Amino acid sequence: MDINVLSAQNITFNYGSNTILNNVNLQVHKGDFLGLVGSNGSGKSTFLKICLGLIKPQFGNIKLFGTDIDKFKNWKDIGYIPQKATAFNQSFPATVEEIISANLCHKLGFGSIIKKENKDKIDEVLDIVGMKEYKKRLIGRLSGGQQQRIFIAKSLVSQPKIIFMDEPTVGIDKKSEAGFYDLMEYLNKSKKITLVMITHDFGAILNRVNRVMNVAEGRIFETDKSKVFSN
Amino acid sequence: MFEVLNYGFMQRAFMAGILVALICPLIGTFIVLRRLSMIGDTLSHASLAGIAAGMAGNFYPLWGALIFSIAAALGVERLRRSFSQYAELSISIVLSASIGLAVVLISLAKSFNADLMSYLFGSIIAVSMKDIHMISALSIIIILSVYIFYKEFLYISFDEEGAAISGIPVTALNIYFTVLTAMTIVVSMRIVGIMMVSSLLVVPVAASLQISTSFKNTMLLSVLFALFSVVSGLFTSYYLDLAPGGTIVLISVLLLIIIIIMKKIGSFSLSYR
């Protein structure tokens, strides 16, 4: 039996007296490229944070790869590119290599020395995002688009099976944005990575995603791609 | 010049000073990058309350300092979760409580004497063998902890949310890191003094940030700057009969100013352009 990569069951989340999510259900299947759309304040980011275990819902449960999120241990299978990923402290004195290697904590063991096999892995993901020659650069010295690619490489280095993205193209230019979506499509089709992406700019990825979920009035429901704009 | 090292008290001062110069930047790098520079002041004032408690209760003051500063560190971390949008507020609350407690305990102990002054401003002659044992034990714990959790601390400093999603036990490590900071304060206060211990946590790091090319490089340069400041500061304070804490901090600030000026005139930058 094919286990769902993500299964959200009866999720209800209240913020004070406001109901943000009301008995929400969602199943994400292996290989999906799922777009989550909805207006500001509709609860998209809250839902994503619940899926990642950063917020606990009042009711309902989340299963990742068939395991209840409270018992889930294989976090290396999960990638995450946050909203405003590039809004970090730009003077942080770490190189691209150091930032990416941080996401290999579970494999690197003690100390600050990176083994050859992990160095190769870092080179490989930098190659995928086209940033290999920037390995020794300070992360703060790169452009917004380049930093976004480094964050993708960071999430790829642990070889995730699913990547969650929360409006990942906010703050980057149009050219970098197109390159970003090309890369996501490549990762989904060639590397078989399941993708869940929150976005406002649905026109840009409409032809790339295979499923569209609409978040509105505390509910999430599947939408026919062709009807996204008419809705 | 080096004949001063024949004196037992100077040997102890240098042993303690070198350990302080090693551990302050190791912890200070993470403190500065997490924008928690004020935590040094807060925990040092908590340790002052512990020193006063030790004097009032007639037990080894560094134990009092360690217990009070760890309690304050845990308090900061607990309040930080209650005021997640105002991290600096938790530090201010614990700082106020620590100063109040220290003043009350000092008045209770009626102990505003030379011994207390040596804790406030640092002292070369006051470092005992008992102090050296405690400083060495805590330094080993701190150095080993930074070595073991280097990547985790780096990841949390850069992106706490990302670190949590990658499976790092962020809350537990934050608490542990704050306890390590408290230990660092206790280790440093004998030489640098309570009033100036936070400077040694941040000033060498500020200097290295001007010219560093990587995180590891930042840490190593900070240690080098701190070692230079402590060793030259101890020699200077001995020969000119100055308070060691103030001398060490002034040298480290001078070093920072020189590096900023040299960087400005473009003659000294290791950074990529």
Side-chain angles (χ1 to χ4, degrees):
Chain A
M1 193 181 76
D2 197 15
I3 297 169
N4 286 324
V5 177
L6 167 74
S7 172
Q9 291 167 331
N10 309 319
I11 300 294
T12 295
F13 182 80
N14 302 308
Y15 190 76
S17 57
N18 293 334
T19 299
I20 309 294
L21 298 167
N22 185 12
N23 203 28
V24 163
N25 291 284
L26 175 70
Q27 264 72 46
V28 177
H29 315 295
K30 191 177 172 189
D32 272 350
F33 186 170
L34 186 145
L36 265 178
V37 289
S39 55
N40 279 339
S42 60
K44 305 185 296 292
S45 296
T46 304
F47 179 67
L48 205 67
K49 286 188 172 176
I50 289 172
C51 294
L52 290 162
L54 293 171
I55 307 176
K56 277 201 182 298
Q58 276 85 9
F59 299 103
N61 74 13
I62 297 286
K63 284 187 177 174
L64 292 166
F65 301 96
T67 304
D68 198 274
I69 197 162
D70 292 331
K71 292 174 187 158
F72 187 73
K73 299 267 187 246
N74 294 327
W75 287 102
K76 67 173 187 57
D77 290 346
I78 312 293
Y80 175 51
I81 302 172
Q83 193 176 28
K84 296 177 189 166
T86 55
F88 61 90
N89 170 12
Q90 295 290 325
S91 58
F92 197 92
T95 61
V96 164
E97 186 180 33
E98 286 174 321
I99 293 298
I100 296 175
S101 71
N103 206 25
L104 280 172
C105 282
H106 55 282
K107 281 192 175 167
L108 292 177
F110 300 153
S112 60
I113 296 159
I114 306 166
K115 285 181 194 151
K116 165 100 177 53
E117 62 192 87
N118 290 315
K119 281 194 173 198
D120 291 346
K121 210 165 271 173
I122 292 168
D123 284 345
E124 190 187 321
V125 292
L126 281 172
D127 206 23
I128 291 173
V129 300
M131 295 290 290
K132 202 170 172 181
E133 66 272 33
Y134 294 89
K135 191 166 82 168
K136 297 289 179 190
R137 290 281 187 97
L138 288 172
I139 182 92
R141 300 280 174 96
L142 305 178
S143 71
Q146 289 172 326
Q147 287 173 356
Q148 191 63 278
R149 286 177 174 268
I150 299 306
F151 277 93
I152 299 165
K154 179 165 84 74
S155 52
L156 286 177
V157 78
S158 66
Q159 295 174 307
K161 292 178 178 152
I162 181 169
I163 300 178
F164 292 90
M165 292 164 277
D166 189 354
E167 301 200 39
T169 57
V170 168
I172 64 172
D173 60 68
K174 281 283 164 198
K175 193 181 162 202
S176 303
E177 188 180 308
F180 173 83
Y181 289 133
D182 287 344
L183 181 58
M184 285 301 127
E185 201 171 6
Y186 163 77
L187 292 175
N188 180 244
K189 293 199 170 137
S190 303
K191 300 280 178 185
K192 309 291 178 206
I193 297 175
T194 305
L195 302 174
V196 175
M197 182 190 287
I198 288 180
T199 182
H200 268 115
D201 187 9
F202 216 70
I205 60 160
L206 189 60
N207 296 321
R208 303 178 195 254
V209 296
N210 72 318
R211 291 174 70 197
V212 179
M213 304 300 294
N214 200 350
V215 187
E217 295 170 0
R219 300 276 186 170
I220 295 182
F221 45 90
E222 189 131 18
T223 309
D224 185 339
K225 280 206 297 177
S226 61
K227 291 180 182 169
V228 168
F229 287 112
S230 58
N231 283 346
Chain B
M1 182 182 172
F2 293 102
E3 69 272 14
V4 295
L5 296 175
N6 292 329
Y7 298 118
F9 72 90
M10 278 308 275
Q11 290 168 3
R12 291 193 295 276
F14 271 95
M15 278 167 68
I18 287 168
L19 287 172
V20 167
L22 284 174
I23 61 163
C24 276
L26 290 185
I27 294 295
T29 304
F30 296 108
I31 288 178
V32 170
L33 293 173
R34 297 181 71 181
R35 299 175 192 267
L36 293 171
S37 299
M38 280 297 289
I39 203 165
D41 274 325
T42 303
L43 300 186
S44 58
H45 282 89
S47 64
L48 175 62
I51 295 284
M55 288 174 168
N58 206 21
F59 59 90
Y60 182 45
L62 282 189
W63 280 123
L66 186 63
I67 292 163
F68 275 60
S69 57
I70 287 176
L74 297 175
V76 167
E77 204 46 50
R78 177 66 192 84
L79 284 169
R80 203 164 80 90
R81 275 179 276 151
S82 297
F83 298 99
S84 57
Q85 300 302 311
Y86 305 95
E88 72 284 358
L89 193 56
S90 62
I91 293 174
S92 299
I93 293 167
V94 177
L95 176 63
S96 310
S98 300
I99 292 173
L101 188 61
V103 171
V104 167
L105 284 171
I106 288 168
S107 68
L108 277 177
K110 297 182 174 49
S111 59
F112 206 83
N113 53 27
D115 205 15
L116 185 67
M117 292 292 278
S118 77
Y119 283 106
L120 278 173
F121 300 109
S123 169
I124 293 177
I125 54 169
V127 183
S128 66
M129 270 323 284
K130 193 173 182 181
D131 294 337
I132 290 288
H133 291 149
M134 184 152 184
I135 289 170
S136 305
L138 292 180
S139 297
I140 289 168
I141 293 172
I142 294 162
I143 291 168
L144 275 178
S145 299
V146 172
Y147 176 71
I148 290 169
F149 297 115
Y150 173 85
K151 290 182 197 74
E152 285 81 355
F153 287 155
L154 191 162
Y155 201 173
I156 294 170
S157 304
F158 181 70
D159 174 12
E160 195 165 314
E161 196 175 68
I165 291 165
S166 75
I168 292 172
V170 170
T171 306
L173 280 175
N174 275 342
I175 292 169
Y176 187 56
F177 179 77
T178 320
V179 170
L180 290 177
T181 308
M183 288 181 180
T184 306
I185 303 283
V186 173
V187 167
S188 312
M189 68 166 62
R190 218 57 188 112
I191 287 290
V192 194
I194 288 166
M195 301 298 283
M196 281 153 292
V197 69
S198 67
S199 314
L200 208 57
L201 284 171
V202 299
V203 179
V205 181
S208 78
L209 280 174
Q210 300 297 316
I211 53 172
S212 64
T213 55
S214 69
F215 191 86
K216 201 186 284 182
N217 185 243
T218 304
M219 218 173 227
L220 290 175
L221 282 174
S222 312
V223 169
L224 281 179
F225 293 153
L227 276 171
F228 174 79
S229 305
V230 168
V231 172
S232 56
L234 285 176
F235 274 119
T236 310
S237 64
Y238 173 79
Y239 284 109
L240 300 182
D241 195 20
L242 302 170
T247 314
I248 289 166
V249 169
L250 283 177
I251 288 174
S252 69
V253 172
L254 191 66
L255 198 60
L256 169 66
I257 293 168
I258 291 169
I259 288 169
I260 290 172
I261 292 170
M262 288 179 83
K263 194 186 172 194
K264 273 232 169 0
I265 58 176
S267 63
F268 188 30
S269 175
L270 303 172
S271 307
Y272 278 92
R273 289 177 187 279

